[in-house]
Amino acid sequence: MTRRPVHLAVEVRGAGAHPGAWRAPDSAATRLFSPAYHLLLAQLAHRGGLDVLFLPDSFVPPGDDPGLVRGALDAVAVAARVAPAAPRLGIVATATVTHTEPFHLSKAIATLDFVSSGFAGWQPDVSRTAAEADLFGRKAAADAGTLWREADEAVEVVTALWDSWEDDAEIRDVATGRFVDRDKLHPVGFRGEFFSVAGASITPRPPQGHPLVVLRADEPEALAVAARRADVVRISATHVGAAVAARTRIRDAVAAAGRDPDTVGVWLDVEVLVAPTAAQARERLATLDGYVRTLATVGTAPLRFAGTPAGLGDLVDHAVRSGAADGITLVPLALPGGLEQIVHHAVPHLVGRGLRPERPHGSTLRERLGLARPANVFEKGGVPA
Amino acid sequence: MTARKQIRLGAHFPGVNNTTVWSDPAAGSQIAFDSFAHFARTAERGFFDFLFLAEGLRLREHRGRIHDLDVVGRPDTFTVLAALAGVTGHLGLAGTINTTFNEPYELARQFATLDHLSAGRAAWNMVTSSDAFTGENFRRGGFLAREDRYTRAREGVDVCRRCGTAGPTTPSSPTAAPGCSCATAASPTCTTRRASSTCTAGSRCRAARRATRC
Amino acid sequence: MHGRFSVPRSPQGHPVLIQAGDSAEGRDFAAATADAIFTLHGSYDAGRDFYADVKGRAVRHGRRPEDLLVLPGATFVLGDTDADAADRAVEVRRAQVGPQTAIAFLEQIWGRDLSGYDADGPLPAIDPDVDNVSITRGRVRHARDPRTVAQEWRDLAAAKGGLSIRETVIEATSRTSFIGSARTVAAELDRYVQGDACDGFILIPHLTPGGLDAFADTVVPELQDRGSLRTEYTGTTLRENLGLRPTARPATDTTRRTSA
Ligand SMILES: Cc1cc2nc3c(=O)[nH]c(=O)nc-3n(C[C@H](O)[C@H](O)[C@H](O)COP(=O)(O)O)c2cc1C
């Protein structure tokens, strides 16, 4: 059996995924909003040759719990800020679709693809709460079914806007005075249940054609959207067995949507804390736990690993061999130290075991992941799906 | 001796009108990031106050077809300015952002983010243009009459100002003892009931008077 | 809308606010709210009038005149000598208004398909179609009666000895431009600023991305020699560099800081 390479990503959340992480003496709690902190994380991910850096985001306003890190910057802007300093690192920013304008989203992600020279991606998400709806005052919070129907439209129209310029629309023909061939610019003319968008994008087609589209399929309502539209599907599972079941479900849904499941990677989240010895890792985790009064878990508790680089290598190997994942998203429990451990110790170990390439290849993120450059739906008289 | 009046300089990135000469052999890409980086670095070398990006949210049409004689195509303003923050150190980053086709809360957050990411160099050129033609690209649709446009613009700025000065405080000390508060008291709540925030296509406005509490 | 904001106070509190819009409402909005106005009032005299108008409005809103900067948009063409620059400026204008562009400008005024006309020939004898104002969409339009504009263009063409369509458009659509050697351009820009026609400029080069290179290399040192432009950035924020007053910090926040 020939194995496909394991794709490796990291998601950075605030001071770390652990709610007590900001209290650690080596955390960057006072610098979470400074450009230097985000640069540090991106450059670490870059040095580690990771495929993707995930930057999560939401409009959820800060809650009342004084023991939690409050607030976050706009992820697309953070992605753009760090991209020039981390060439050939895939950068995937979350941008929600419930209260935002598809037209703005489309050009923002396209522009991220330009500033990262073809290494951008987008993780659409929905805004579920009344608190978020109140920040916009335009509509009420909706149920998951409605939210994901709208998300489906949003991804469709954002993608159509990327295609609204054919790749060779810009001609600069001095003889006729024409800068573009307007037959290669297409108004999207989208009318859906939730909104309509008339014109073509104001931004040319981005380097990858379509920046990578990543969706979470933890919610059943999101599965159909992911099956139709995702290049990569992210999952969270409590154990490897559950991930195997989830991946099978997703591959079936992808096939049912008329796509080849081998072109849609399923990436599993693993919260990590890596240390030189297992005892040190356990001790470190206990310290983090001790910073927090009550450890509440929201939703599915994700797979969590605290141990040595070799132990993490075993987990990754096991997950891939058992068909739980095509890629792993490491979510450091504490930053920036947790990412340093991954880059300096865990990644070299994975390379040593042949689970990661010595030098990541590919001149765009899609190429890196073995994905084709998407055809343009408007070319040769095509119409959007 | 009184100090001599100092000249303020903005550098307008060549735009999508006929001022920009694309037929010159020296003319480069209007969309590649390198073009923006070169332009920004030159402005900073020349001690300009800020770089300036214009914006139009629908491709121009002439006689029912896309106008093809001038430069066509531009990046997203916030995204390219955030990237430029990384290749400059002093230059202001001014973006033209429409007050009609953006939501105040989102704008406030985007500008606050840009200001953090550039260490205090963000500027907003507030434009109110709102023809129905452009509106067709947006959920809001339609357009606003001039008075309503400026009412909405005022509200947008208001939200930006209030939010910008009222967000949560960053943790004061990362080594605070367990159980200690990360941030100070709850961040202030902004309530803005806006006359024009409920405008829908065709500019039907709820007549509610604006009430702002912060 | 209501709710909590999720970003801590940024270095400037809020962005520097610039306003572009020329109606009475627009000027008033700027006078009450903005830190700078971006305007197209380019000539020295029109600039002085506009400057006095909006600074007066700012004062009526309880602000200081220097709290609102007036920044007209301006193009420029440089040369080794003034004559050299003038020659170049003619070339630039011809590049900006090619034959197809000249006809497109004409169609905007006339509201008709004029693609059959020769850009090197005379203006059309027919009158504008005043009902067809939406021939161009998606750009800022300054509403004037097309018949008035058409008459002005005809008068212009005649007065200059029978200009062609393209020559007429080149003349009629040219905006304030600073043309000359670096020294001449620096002196002229400075004259506007010192004479209160404006506080500075938003410069619009015609080339991407190198259109500012020569300006930075040659005009900037001249302006510095005149003592009118910084030789280093002294502020830490844009607001400081522009010489604007800091944004107010809400009282609650100050209390928190002192108790922290
Ligand atoms: C110098 C100047 C620059 C402008 N730039 C833009 C721009 O980049 N994008 C845009 O949508 N509108 C732009 N506008 C349009 C204004 O925002 C405004 O919509 C227009 O001037 C009409 O407003 P008014 O009725 O107050 O004059 C500009 C206006 C002026 C005067």
Side-chain angles (χ1 to χ4, degrees):
Chain A
M1 179 185 129
T2 54
R3 278 219 321 253
R4 289 195 285 165
V6 186
H7 298 303
L8 195 64
V10 67
E11 175 165 277
V12 293
R13 300 184 194 155
H18 196 288
W22 68 271
R23 295 182 206 268
D26 61 344
S27 89
T30 56
R31 295 182 286 126
L32 295 183
F33 300 89
S34 79
Y37 177 61
H38 299 280
L39 274 175
L40 170 70
L41 299 180
Q43 283 170 336
L44 277 170
H46 176 247
R47 209 167 309 142
L50 299 176
D51 295 316
V52 166
L53 173 70
F54 283 112
L55 299 172
D57 199 5
S58 87
F59 285 118
V60 175
D64 288 322
D65 188 344
L68 293 178
V69 166
R70 310 153 69 88
L73 300 176
D74 178 84
V76 177
V78 172
R81 174 68 179 79
V82 300
R88 292 172 178 253
L89 170 68
I91 303 183
V92 178
T94 296
T96 58
V97 299
T98 308
H99 302 295
T100 52
E101 292 284 358
F103 192 85
H104 290 317
L105 285 177
S106 177
K107 64 183 162 60
I109 304 295
T111 302
L112 185 59
D113 207 35
F114 279 105
V115 306
S116 65
S117 301
F119 274 82
W122 173 40
Q123 183 172 323
D125 198 0
V126 296
S127 300
R128 299 168 178 83
T129 65
E132 289 158 278
D134 287 345
L135 293 170
F136 289 82
R138 211 151 61 165
K139 59 186 186 190
D143 59 274
T146 308
L147 290 172
W148 283 104
R149 271 207 323 283
E150 182 178 27
D152 191 51
E153 283 191 0
V155 180
E156 177 180 347
V157 80
V158 164
T159 312
L161 284 163
W162 289 334
D163 281 346
S164 64
W165 288 58
E166 293 185 28
D167 289 315
D168 54 356
E170 186 181 313
I171 53 172
R172 297 189 184 232
D173 185 35
V174 176
T176 59
R178 293 179 308 147
F179 182 81
V180 287
D181 177 351
R182 53 193 172 189
D183 291 335
K184 296 186 172 183
L185 298 181
H186 307 278
V188 297
F190 179 87
R191 276 183 182 284
E193 179 187 348
F194 298 90
F195 47 75
S196 55
V197 176
S201 179
I202 57 167
T203 306
R205 196 163 194 250
Q208 295 184 94
H210 298 175
L212 196 75
V213 174
V214 180
L215 279 154
R216 278 201 165 278
D218 301 326
E219 275 175 295
E221 291 84 356
L223 180 62
V225 185
R228 252 196 308 276
R229 312 207 179 271
D231 296 305
V232 167
V233 181
R234 290 183 63 185
I235 55 169
S236 194
T238 35
H239 53 90
V240 169
V244 174
R247 179 163 172 269
T248 306
R249 203 161 55 238
I250 289 162
R251 288 176 65 88
D252 289 348
V254 169
R259 302 170 69 203
D260 175 1
D262 287 339
T263 63
V264 181
V266 177
W267 294 11
L268 173 65
D269 283 3
V270 181
E271 293 187 349
V272 285
L273 193 160
V274 175
T277 68
Q280 283 170 313
R282 275 195 304 273
E283 191 183 318
R284 184 87 218 267
L285 183 57
T287 308
L288 292 178
D289 285 347
Y291 289 140
V292 185
R293 258 177 260 136
T294 45
L295 282 167
T297 21
V298 193
T300 328
L303 207 60
R304 179 181 276 191
F305 173 84
T308 61
L312 181 62
D314 291 343
L315 173 63
V316 170
D317 197 30
H318 174 52
V320 175
R321 278 181 193 280
S322 50
D326 308 293
I328 302 289
T329 302
L330 301 175
V331 186
L333 286 171
L335 291 169
L339 184 53
E340 279 163 8
Q341 291 291 330
I342 289 170
V343 166
H344 298 319
H345 303 295
V347 171
H349 178 85
L350 294 174
V351 172
R353 286 172 73 161
L355 287 162
R356 285 290 295 163
E358 299 244 359
R359 223 174 298 112
H361 72 290
S363 61
T364 65
L365 177 54
R366 281 186 174 277
E367 267 183 34
R368 168 80 59 85
L369 302 179
L371 296 171
R373 194 170 189 278
N376 188 323
V377 290
F378 291 103
E379 251 165 73
K380 301 194 187 71
V383 286
Chain B
M1 191 188 100
T2 53
R4 190 171 172 86
K5 198 175 161 191
Q6 293 294 295
I7 182 166
R8 308 295 170 197
L9 290 178
H12 188 303
F13 190 84
V16 300
N17 51 45
N18 77 306
T19 307
T20 307
V21 175
W22 56 260
S23 56
D24 191 300
S29 170
Q30 87 290 358
I31 191 69
F33 182 61
D34 283 352
S35 289
F36 290 88
H38 176 104
F39 193 77
R41 289 189 179 114
T42 311
E44 188 157 277
R45 175 159 59 86
F47 298 99
F48 277 59
D49 291 284
F50 57 88
L51 173 141
F52 183 97
L53 296 180
E55 182 176 79
L57 294 171
R58 185 146 185 197
L59 295 184
R60 290 157 52 192
E61 288 187 3
H62 183 72
R63 289 208 282 120
R65 303 193 61 196
I66 285 167
H67 183 66
D68 58 359
L69 301 176
D70 296 333
V71 167
V72 186
R74 55 176 20 140
D76 177 69
T77 303
F78 281 115
T79 311
V80 82
L81 291 181
L84 287 173
V87 300
T88 53
H90 303 278
L91 188 68
L93 302 166
T96 297
I97 293 289
N98 186 291
T99 51
T100 305
F101 301 118
N102 285 282
E103 292 309 308
Y105 180 84
E106 193 182 6
L107 281 192
R109 188 160 180 263
Q110 286 171 309
F111 273 116
T113 295
L114 180 62
D115 208 39
H116 277 289
L117 294 178
S118 64
R121 297 186 278 138
W124 175 12
N125 180 37
M126 310 171 286
V127 297
T128 59
S129 359
S130 71
D131 53 283
F133 175 68
T134 305
E136 287 173 8
N137 280 342
F138 297 97
R139 291 173 185 258
R140 178 171 295 280
F143 63 99
L144 297 170
R146 188 179 275 149
E147 316 84 75
D148 295 339
R149 273 200 273 133
Y150 281 107
T151 305
R152 188 173 156 89
R154 237 171 246 119
E155 289 162 356
V157 172
D158 206 44
V159 171
C160 197
R161 280 196 163 151
R162 281 166 189 281
C163 289
T165 48
T169 318
T170 34
S172 50
S173 157
T175 51
C180 229
S181 159
C182 154
T184 49
S187 39
T189 300
C190 291
T191 303
T192 308
R193 230 173 276 119
R194 299 171 305 147
S196 60
S197 66
T198 49
C199 288
T200 49
S203 184
R204 240 174 3 94
C205 291
R206 191 157 59 107
R209 236 350 279 146
R210 186 160 57 106
T212 310
R213 170 167 67 80
C214 206
Chain C
M1 58 161 285
H2 62 94
R4 280 181 191 159
F5 196 50
S6 63
V7 182
R9 186 190 156 94
S10 66
Q12 294 188 117
H14 63 78
V16 167
L17 298 171
I18 306 170
Q19 194 271 351
D22 199 29
S23 60
E25 288 90 342
R27 289 184 187 200
D28 234 45
F29 174 52
T33 310
D35 300 305
I37 293 194
F38 177 27
T39 161
L40 294 178
H41 292 270
S43 77
Y44 187 82
D45 291 332
R48 281 181 56 87
D49 290 345
F50 182 78
Y51 189 95
D53 176 80
V54 295
K55 298 257 176 176
R57 286 175 195 257
V59 169
R60 283 197 291 284
H61 281 281
R63 306 174 72 202
R64 305 176 309 172
E66 61 268 35
D67 292 339
L68 178 64
L69 303 172
V70 175
L71 305 176
T75 59
F76 60 90
V77 181
L78 301 172
D80 291 339
T81 64
D82 289 352
D84 176 34
D87 288 347
R88 279 204 200 185
V90 171
E91 282 169 37
V92 169
R93 285 301 288 152
R94 284 184 65 78
Q96 288 170 329
V97 186
Q100 297 89 351
T101 297
I103 297 295
F105 265 107
L106 207 64
E107 288 174 337
Q108 267 185 59
I109 308 294
W110 261 255
R112 302 172 181 278
D113 175 3
L114 300 174
S115 54
Y117 283 76
D118 177 2
D120 293 325
L123 291 169
I126 49 164
D127 280 325
D129 175 355
V130 290
D131 296 325
N132 195 8
V133 289
S134 62
I135 193 162
T136 300
R137 303 197 293 177
R139 74 184 306 175
V140 181
R141 296 221 41 193
H142 305 282
R144 289 183 62 206
D145 187 339
R147 285 167 300 201
T148 315
V149 180
Q151 194 51 50
E152 282 173 14
W153 285 23
R154 286 189 179 122
D155 294 347
L156 176 74
K160 299 249 174 172
L163 297 182
S164 68
I165 289 174
R166 186 175 177 194
E167 289 163 341
T168 306
V169 173
I170 286 174
E171 289 277 330
T173 64
S174 72
R175 293 212 302 232
T176 306
S177 192
F178 293 85
I179 298 165
S181 68
R183 173 159 299 189
T184 302
V185 168
E188 194 61 3
L189 294 173
D190 202 24
R191 181 174 76 93
Y192 274 57
V193 172
Q194 305 306 331
D196 285 348
C198 61
D199 294 304
F201 299 89
I202 293 184
L203 292 175
I204 312 173
H206 62 267
L207 272 185
T208 307
L212 215 55
D213 295 2
F215 189 96
D217 292 333
T218 63
V219 182
V220 162
E222 294 281 349
L223 290 170
Q224 290 172 323
D225 285 349
R226 301 174 74 91
S228 299
L229 181 67
R230 65 170 68 85
T231 52
E232 60 180 337
Y233 288 100
T234 50
T236 58
T237 63
L238 172 59
R239 180 166 288 279
E240 284 171 17
N241 280 326
L242 285 170
L244 296 165
R245 290 202 279 199
T247 49
R249 183 181 268 277
T252 49
D253 207 65
T254 321
T255 350
R256 260 188 233 146
R257 290 209 114 204
T258 32
S259 64

